[in-house]
Amino acid sequence: MSQSQRQLNLNVGLNTTGYVAKAWPYRTGNRQEITDPAYYRGLAEIAHRGRFDAVFFSDHPALVTDPDGRPFHTLDPLTLAAAITAQVPDIGFVATFSTTYNSPYDLARRAQTVDLISGGRLIINAVASFTEAVAANFGAAHLPPRPERYARASEFLDVAKQLWASWDPRREGEIPPNRFWDASSARRIDHHGPHFDVKGPLNVPRGPQGHPVLAQAGASEWGIDLAARHGEIIYANILSHEAGHEFGRRVRDRALAIGRDPSGIRIIPGLVPIIAGTRAEALRKHELLSGTGSEDGLIARFIAEHGFDPHRFDPDAILDPEQFVPDPNRLLALGMTLGLVDLLRHEKLTARQVVRRSEGHHRLVLGTPEDIADGLIEFWADGAVDGYTIQPPRAPDDIIEFVDRVIPVLQDRGVFRREYESGTVRDRYRLPYPE
């Protein structure tokens, strides 16, 4: 596809009150609606008006009972997607699920059903769970070590893909009048591996996309290997232009090394937009929505998050990237925290500068609608990324503002659609269909 034909891909996150934890006091809405399916349908309708590729539901199957926070994950993403897809046309749905605490047959069956119901609009985001809080909801055993979790995830997706292809009505031959179907169109997979034994076949036939599009997040070595083997849409924390190119090269080179065509991979990092009439207004809005109140408050939060001594820390000194490299043996996710390390390895920045480049482990873009559009196009134009998952600080307010003020700028510049075209989300992302 030529540069003139290439279009920016945009998803939008739809979790409860919005992406930024402290922004909820400044949103429109009430506390009760975050568990109301009608609320999420309304958000999906706003996203549909903006012609987004898909709405994104992240997930963490445990309720975080922080009295000073807010629930960020409530309703089951796949069930919610099934409900909304019947009410909102065209738009795709990214539903997150755990490969650590699901079975391949059950997930493959439910996901293929939703993809059939929606006419090929499902993207499933595979996550290797990374907290003890989740583990405690699925039994007494502790969270498995990271290498085991990712090995299980890779085998899980291998099995799911075999199941999705196991009953294909296109394999039917001529059916005699006394037979309802050609049973040879369904084939056992007889999978026997370290983590799963699955006979198959699946009792849901091959879907309109072959199988749902596979999304995956992670920049650790294990995450990149999983992305290279299975990921089609890669969600990541990319904070600089150079880091975007390097991350894409790593994933695609790894895919080539294992014999996969890397042209079937799209890099779609997260991005937090702060939209205002001027850049100065956007800076103040960032301070308000972040809950820090000022630039000094942003710096104080940075110091606390990274364990620096506030009495000895110089916010105007160039930061050493090696100070931010996470412990590879820790339980918590590694990939999102590596975004800051990659940024500092490519650019010499101070803490005062960094706090305006990242919010919630994602790239922060501040300013007028034109500034936001410039920021999106900057990384996309030469292929550093293929698009973005917009993470609005507040829902619904910042989704509405993005749709009303930024989308028209992108459309006028010819990089984003004005209307949906027919086809599946696989077509929309220019992804190949599985054989």
Side-chain angles (χ1 to χ4, degrees):
M1 182 171 285
S2 71
Q3 181 71 20
S4 62
Q5 294 174 305
R6 182 171 172 253
Q7 291 280 292
L8 183 66
N9 289 114
L10 290 178
N11 301 331
V12 59
L14 297 190
N15 286 89
T16 65
T17 66
Y19 186 71
V20 177
K22 302 292 186 181
W24 66 264
Y26 309 103
R27 66 181 285 270
T28 301
N30 59 55
R31 291 177 172 85
Q32 290 72 38
E33 64 190 358
I34 67 168
T35 55
D36 183 354
Y39 168 66
Y40 296 100
R41 184 191 69 224
L43 296 182
E45 288 170 344
I46 297 166
H48 180 273
R49 181 162 60 83
R51 303 300 187 253
F52 277 93
D53 289 289
V55 295
F56 173 53
F57 297 109
S58 64
D59 195 36
H60 179 260
L63 182 62
V64 179
T65 55
D66 176 6
D68 296 322
R70 45 81 207 238
F72 188 54
H73 301 103
T74 56
L75 305 180
D76 174 72
L78 193 55
T79 308
L80 189 59
I84 300 175
T85 189
Q87 303 171 77
V88 183
D90 306 311
I91 200 164
F93 295 84
V94 185
T96 300
F97 76 98
S98 168
T99 56
T100 313
Y101 298 109
N102 271 294
S103 74
Y105 193 97
D106 183 52
L107 186 282
R109 186 185 188 210
R110 289 186 290 125
Q112 192 82 312
T113 299
V114 174
D115 202 44
L116 280 163
I117 289 170
S118 67
R121 290 189 280 150
L122 183 64
I123 302 166
I124 57 171
N125 178 37
V127 172
S129 294
F130 52 83
T131 70
E132 287 287 0
V134 172
N137 287 333
F138 292 89
H142 287 290
L143 191 72
R146 179 172 279 103
E148 182 180 337
R149 298 200 306 272
Y150 275 95
R152 177 188 168 95
S154 187
E155 187 181 342
F156 188 113
L157 294 175
D158 278 332
V159 175
K161 287 194 282 190
Q162 291 177 66
L163 287 167
W164 284 323
S166 63
W167 178 16
D168 189 348
R170 296 177 308 170
R171 290 197 290 257
E172 287 185 342
E174 185 175 346
I175 302 173
N178 63 335
R179 294 265 179 96
F180 183 83
W181 71 317
D182 180 354
S184 68
S185 66
R187 300 172 183 174
R188 288 164 43 174
I189 68 169
D190 287 324
H191 175 89
H192 305 286
H195 299 92
F196 304 107
D197 284 276
V198 182
K199 178 181 177 181
L202 193 66
N203 61 347
V204 181
R206 188 180 192 274
Q209 302 190 91
H211 61 67
V213 173
L214 293 174
Q216 189 271 337
S220 68
E221 285 303 308
W222 297 276
I224 285 176
D225 188 68
L226 186 65
R229 290 180 183 279
H230 298 289
E232 297 178 279
I233 291 176
I234 313 301
Y235 182 62
N237 178 16
I238 294 174
L239 303 180
S240 77
H241 192 263
E242 294 80 3
H245 279 292
E246 183 175 306
F247 178 78
R249 279 195 299 270
R250 289 177 67 196
V251 174
R252 293 183 174 104
D253 286 351
R254 189 78 57 89
L256 273 173
I258 61 175
R260 180 186 171 196
D261 183 354
S263 67
I265 293 172
R266 301 288 176 266
I267 308 298
I268 312 290
L271 183 141
V272 178
I274 304 289
I275 309 164
T278 66
R279 179 171 173 80
E281 291 174 8
L283 293 173
R284 304 292 81 76
K285 186 175 179 180
H286 176 216
E287 294 157 7
L288 176 72
L289 297 183
S290 68
T292 61
S294 66
E295 187 169 277
D296 287 343
L298 287 167
I299 293 169
R301 183 183 68 174
F302 180 88
I303 291 169
E305 285 177 347
H306 297 285
F308 293 116
D309 181 349
H311 303 293
R312 301 177 61 186
F313 186 82
D314 180 0
D316 296 304
I318 298 297
L319 296 168
D320 177 4
E322 303 312 310
Q323 288 183 292
F324 301 92
V325 176
D327 179 358
N329 297 313
R330 75 177 194 174
L331 286 177
L332 294 176
L334 290 175
M336 291 302 171
T337 58
L338 289 170
L340 176 60
V341 179
D342 291 338
L343 171 65
L344 295 176
R345 284 174 175 165
H346 288 98
E347 298 183 37
K348 296 185 182 301
L349 299 171
T350 68
R352 194 178 303 279
Q353 294 169 312
V354 163
V355 298
R356 302 299 193 177
R357 296 285 294 272
S358 175
E359 182 63 44
H361 298 304
H362 284 307
R363 182 181 169 211
L364 177 68
V365 180
L366 309 98
T368 66
E370 290 75 16
D371 293 333
I372 304 299
D374 288 342
L376 270 64
I377 293 170
E378 177 192 3
F379 286 19
W380 167 84
D382 70 349
V385 304
D386 296 292
Y388 304 90
T389 295
I390 302 302
Q391 293 290 7
R394 303 165 299 170
D397 307 69
D398 293 308
I399 305 173
I400 294 170
E401 190 164 19
F402 192 94
V403 166
D404 288 345
R405 302 184 67 190
V406 179
I407 291 292
V409 179
L410 297 172
Q411 291 170 334
D412 288 345
R413 295 187 185 181
V415 301
F416 193 67
R417 73 178 63 82
R418 293 186 182 274
E419 297 296 338
Y420 288 109
E421 295 180 358
S422 61
T424 68
V425 289
R426 191 172 286 281
D427 297 316
R428 201 170 292 163
Y429 276 92
R430 308 174 310 283
L431 291 168
Y433 280 71
E435 295 180 359

